[in-house]
Amino acid sequence: MITIGEINQIVSSALFMVIKISIPVLLTSMIIGLVISIFQTVTSIQEQTLTFVPKVLAVFMMIMLMGNWMATELSGFITTLWSDFSKYVR
């Protein structure tokens, strides 16, 4: 039978995996937003939609570059979770 401690460990591992996988995309979006914000401040351009296209392109490129790593990490986590499935259903 699975204990509360094991459930906490599984949930903790899953949340850490989500954070670890999302960090490259979120950091890219944040950095691009900051750079464009500084550019808008320096040039006095106050267009709200100016950040949208560069962020979308940068996030897309990051997913293309890091997608294999993200999928490998997630696949490894799911494989580990399913390989221990017999322990969870007793």
Side-chain angles (χ1 to χ4, degrees):
M1 182 143 200
I2 191 165
T3 65
I4 297 296
E6 290 171 329
I7 292 172
N8 285 340
Q9 197 274 330
I10 292 168
V11 170
S12 174
S13 296
L15 290 174
F16 180 71
M17 181 63 57
V18 167
I19 291 169
K20 186 167 82 169
I21 288 175
S22 66
I23 281 178
V25 174
L26 292 176
L27 280 178
T28 301
S29 178
M30 186 178 69
I31 290 169
I32 294 297
L34 181 64
V35 168
I36 292 175
S37 176
I38 291 171
F39 174 75
Q40 284 180 324
T41 302
V42 169
T43 61
S44 298
I45 298 174
Q46 296 303 320
E47 180 63 35
Q48 296 297 325
T49 59
L50 184 63
T51 61
F52 181 72
V53 173
K55 276 187 183 180
V56 168
L57 292 176
V59 166
F60 181 70
M61 291 298 293
M62 186 56 68
I63 290 173
M64 285 179 53
L65 292 173
M66 301 293 289
N68 186 33
W69 171 78
M70 292 175 182
T72 303
E73 289 290 318
L74 191 58
S75 176
F77 177 73
I78 292 171
T79 301
T80 303
L81 197 61
W82 280 100
S83 67
D84 294 339
F85 191 70
S86 62
K87 291 191 314 186
Y88 307 140
V89 295
R90 284 191 276 160

